[in-house]
Amino acid sequence: MNMAAAGEKGGSRPGWRSLGLCLVLLAALCRGSSVERKIYVKLNSTAPCVRLLNATHQIGCQSSRNGDTGVIHVVEKEDDLSWVLESGPDPPYMVLLEGHLFTRDTMLKFKESTRISGIAVMYAKPPPPEGFSPDLPCPNDGFGLYTDQRGAQYSHCNKTLWNPLGSGMSYEDFQFPVFLLQDENETEVIKQCYRDHNVPGNGSAPQYPLCAMQLVSAMHAVTSTVTCMRRNSIQMSFSINPEAVCDSLAGYNVWSTVRPVNSSGFLAPEEQVVVSAARLDGRSFFWNLAPAAESTVSSLVTQLAAAEAIHKAPDSQDLPRNIMFTFFQGEVFDYIGSSRMVYDMEKGRFPVRLQNIHTFVELSQVALREDSSLWIHTDPISRSNDSVNVEVEQLIDVLKNSSKDTNVTLQEVDQSQALPPASFQRFLRARNIPGIVLTDHNATYRNKYYNSMYDTSASINMNYPSGLSKEEALNYVTEAAQSLTDVATLLARTLYQQAGGKDPAQIKVDEKSVTRMLYGFLVMSNNSWFQSIIRSDWKGHLEDKPPQYYVTATSLGSKPTPNPPTSFLISVLANLTGQVVNYTKEECQSPDKATDPQRELYEYIWVQGPLDNNTTTRSPYCVRSTLRSHLAESPAFELNEWDSTEYSTWTESRWKEIRGRIFLVPSHQLEVITLVVGVIVLLLSFGATYFINSKAHILFTSGAQEDASGTY
């Protein structure tokens, strides 16, 4: 009995040792986490510049694999550049750059220097008054109608430079990370750290410790889309755990017709359709940051309002011609959405074919009209065809007739001038179609912030009085809403007459709808209207900030997921043009189970519905509409023509981690001393461990023997 007890006591010793070891490790981990929080200040509100690739080269930014670190130096004026580029004693530097100095010239100086490890850009408030556009001066050059093979006299913006403020900075390749700081509080924390530790005194170098920053944005893809797609293919073929290095830019076009169209069939050749088009995407220098107020939302909202007005017309279902509203995704990146729709039309995979298109009306940038002027652009090449020219002239006459009693002054651009960058160009590449593009500019863009982070609601005069609640702001009619209501009225009446309507005066655009759309698309998506009309599985897209219109990246072979702006567009379009039907949730989400004999002509959406009176519960319902989604992925990826010059080949690199943090760094001498001391401590610990292990029979067994002898 006593021997058993002794054995039990001796056998428990390793268990206690293991428990003690676990407790020590747990305590060390806890202390480590606490130490990390004390050492590092994480930057949570940043927007990185990432790598994009096309058929020939790569653009964007990247860090080294483990991130890049440098001593922070604030550059607020031109004179500060010499410190980081020439005289500063502690390179490499992580530059905290004033927003107004974020220009191509400055960035190229950093690019040519070996003393720069990264850039953190401060958001400029107010935006640069002279304008800022990191896009190209000639957007989408080479992928529209005018090329060296067709319309060479208009190619490369020979006669009209549309975006003269465009620096092309978004198309440069930077071998260091560039982040935008979106939170003023975080920016101030960095500045304070700089002031406390890094400010030079009387021309002398600052004393250690110094405030440093680390930015991590290592990109997996390199060189070009051709290279990254080849590597993707190798990974998928030979790797046990395949991991792609880049993804195609893709999403969904959204289209809708006034009269329903069977999406699984085709229109008869004699059936004619009037097409109205707008784009759905935007971009800036920084990933997933694209407010796109003037460049995208102005035309998107205008077209939605026109669609609502036409659907409300009593005779809309009896018009001789149908009207199709299209919203193209990925147009910023060499016309991804429009080229895919044209491709599918030519291949017989879209219910509407090119020969069914009667006329084409496209809205481009329309929010910054000067003296109420809206400009009509046409294509000089297609108009050389007499029959096309006649129909274009008739369309212009309809436009002018529709502008009566609206605050819109229509003006025609000289017929010898080429079309501005527009989706219509991709249709004209395939077929001579009568059509026009409506813009607020005669030649160069009035938008000073084209495809930049400053193309916000403020840039189109969406100003609200102070003190408004969210609900009051949602319904407050701004100057921009009034202006776009007039343009939407003009568009709706034009499309109605082009479709054969006889009473355009009955077409009236709801100013309230325009107001609410502008608020939801440009100010805050998480508002009461969007909450009531969105699908419950999309409610996570709603945020207390504006949506961003950057097209998403999608793995090849997989089905894209609608990004937030697309989900909002679908919800709004269904709400404005659809009908509420008495379907259960099961019937709405599985229309095959419904009894509607025309169910193949419609799409059904089960939406959250409004809040019940004085409760937090909602009353969901089913909406039936004619809207459809259409894959917007470049045909180049279906054809495996990754070096195509006919279609867009843009891909986005993959990455594992995007983060930034600041911390203090000691002098190099202290780092060396710390390393030496650490090595000495390590060697001493090895010696101590060896000594204890060699004497273990003396140190750890005598007590156990005494206990054991005492039990006899």
Side-chain angles (χ1 to χ4, degrees), residues 40-48 179-187 189-190 213-215 287 545 658-662:
Y40 299 106
V41 176
K42 293 183 179 181
L43 305 177
N44 298 312
S45 299
T46 60
F179 282 43
L180 178 70
L181 303 176
Q182 297 178 283
D183 188 327
E184 291 183 3
N185 293 327
E186 287 189 347
T187 303
V189 168
I190 299 171
M213 181 186 297
Q214 182 187 48
L215 298 178
W287 176 75
K545 59 183 181 180
I658 298 286
R659 62 180 171 87
R661 59 187 183 179
I662 64 172

Side-chain angles (χ1 to χ4, degrees), residues 21 95 222 273 318 334 369 388 468 505 575 583 601 661:
L21 179 61
V95 177
V222 295
V273 175
D318 302 319
D334 299 335
R369 292 184 293 135
V388 171
L468 291 183
N575 178 265
Y583 280 11
L601 300 178
R661 59 187 183 179

Side-chain angles (χ1 to χ4, degrees), residues 689-700:
T689 302
Y690 175 78
F691 174 78
I692 294 172
N693 187 57
S694 65
K695 304 296 182 180
H697 64 285
I698 299 174
L699 296 173
F700 301 115

Side-chain angles (χ1 to χ4, degrees), residues 250-255 279-282 288 296-297 300 304 327-330 520-521 525 530 533-535 538 541-542 547-552 554 560-574 605 627-632:
Y252 289 103
N253 300 323
V254 177
W255 63 282
R279 85 181 199 190
L280 182 50
D281 69 308
N288 204 26
T296 298
V297 178
L300 181 151
L304 284 169
F327 302 86
F328 293 116
Q329 182 67 271
F521 282 113
S525 59
F530 275 23
I533 64 176
I534 201 168
R535 283 169 33 174
W538 286 348
H541 291 168
L542 299 172
Q548 302 299 321
Y549 294 86
Y550 178 78
V551 61
T552 53
T554 304
T561 300
N563 63 0
T566 304
S567 66
F568 302 151
L569 169 63
I570 290 173
S571 302
V572 171
L573 185 57
I605 301 176
L627 75 82
R628 309 277 182 173
S629 58
H630 171 255
L631 178 65

Side-chain angles (χ1 to χ4, degrees), residues 24 35 58 67 70 141 165 249 282 301 391 512 521 553 564 572 668 693:
V24 169
V35 169
Q58 65 186 30
D141 185 26
L165 292 175
L249 296 182
V301 166
E391 293 192 57
K512 182 180 179 181
F521 282 113
V572 171
H668 298 303
N693 187 57

Side-chain angles (χ1 to χ4, degrees), residues 53 481 581 710:
L53 311 100
V581 292

Side-chain angles (χ1 to χ4, degrees), residues 111-335:
K111 183 178 180 179
E112 294 165 0
S113 174
T114 59
R115 295 166 54 87
I116 304 300
S117 59
I119 311 293
V121 181
M122 293 181 271
Y123 191 95
K125 290 186 178 181
E130 68 277 8
F132 174 80
S133 175
D135 207 283
L136 296 169
C138 187
N140 288 1
D141 185 26
F143 288 86
L145 176 63
Y146 311 112
T147 64
D148 294 335
Q149 290 72 42
R150 177 179 178 179
Q153 68 272 32
Y154 305 112
S155 64
H156 313 304
C157 298
N158 279 337
K159 296 189 175 183
T160 307
L161 195 63
W162 297 105
N163 187 32
L165 292 175
S167 66
M169 187 165 64
S170 288
Y171 292 83
E172 290 287 339
D173 182 33
F174 298 99
Q175 295 297 314
F176 49 75
V178 183
F179 282 43
L180 178 70
L181 303 176
Q182 297 178 283
D183 188 327
E184 291 183 3
N185 293 327
E186 287 189 347
T187 303
E188 185 55 37
V189 168
I190 299 171
K191 284 185 174 182
Q192 188 60 48
C193 187
Y194 166 78
R195 288 191 289 264
D196 291 343
H197 300 279
N198 294 11
V199 175
N202 299 321
S204 61
Q207 300 299 309
Y208 285 95
L210 299 178
C211 190
M213 181 186 297
Q214 182 187 48
L215 298 178
V216 181
S217 61
M219 300 287 121
H220 293 178
V222 295
T223 308
S224 67
T225 291
V226 177
T227 301
C228 83
M229 294 304 295
R230 184 172 64 245
R231 292 180 179 178
N232 280 356
S233 181
I234 293 173
Q235 282 280 331
M236 299 303 171
S237 301
F238 300 106
S239 177
I240 297 176
N241 297 308
E243 184 175 347
V245 296
C246 69
D247 299 309
S248 66
L249 296 182
Y252 289 103
N253 300 323
V254 177
W255 63 282
S256 172
T257 53
V258 173
R259 285 201 308 276
V261 171
N262 190 336
S263 60
S264 61
F266 300 100
L267 295 183
E270 66 275 8
E271 293 186 74
Q272 296 290 288
V273 175
V274 179
V275 175
S276 178
R279 85 181 199 190
L280 182 50
D281 69 308
R283 71 166 300 195
S284 73
F285 184 85
F286 298 99
W287 176 75
N288 204 26
L289 182 62
E294 160 72 328
S295 59
T296 298
V297 178
S298 65
S299 55
L300 181 151
V301 166
T302 301
Q303 182 162 274
L304 284 169
E308 178 190 29
I310 292 175
H311 272 268
K312 287 182 176 179
D315 58 343
S316 63
Q317 299 300 307
D318 302 319
L319 295 173
R321 302 184 188 97
N322 207 344
I323 302 173
M324 183 171 83
F325 298 95
T326 58
F327 302 86
F328 293 116
Q329 182 67 271
E331 295 302 273
V332 170
F333 294 98
D334 299 335
Y335 304 118

Side-chain angles (χ1 to χ4, degrees), residues 306-376:
E308 178 190 29
I310 292 175
H311 272 268
K312 287 182 176 179
D315 58 343
S316 63
Q317 299 300 307
D318 302 319
L319 295 173
R321 302 184 188 97
N322 207 344
I323 302 173
M324 183 171 83
F325 298 95
T326 58
F327 302 86
F328 293 116
Q329 182 67 271
E331 295 302 273
V332 170
F333 294 98
D334 299 335
Y335 304 118
I336 292 174
S338 55
S339 63
R340 181 55 182 254
M341 184 172 284
V342 171
Y343 176 81
D344 285 347
M345 286 180 171
E346 292 178 316
K347 295 294 182 182
R349 300 189 302 200
F350 195 81
V352 179
R353 304 193 185 191
L354 290 170
Q355 55 265 36
N356 295 121
I357 299 177
H358 176 265
T359 44
F360 198 106
V361 179
E362 180 169 358
L363 290 175
S364 188
Q365 304 173 70
V366 294
L368 298 176
R369 292 184 293 135
E370 184 178 25
D371 298 327
S372 302
S373 294
L374 199 64
W375 293 88
I376 304 171

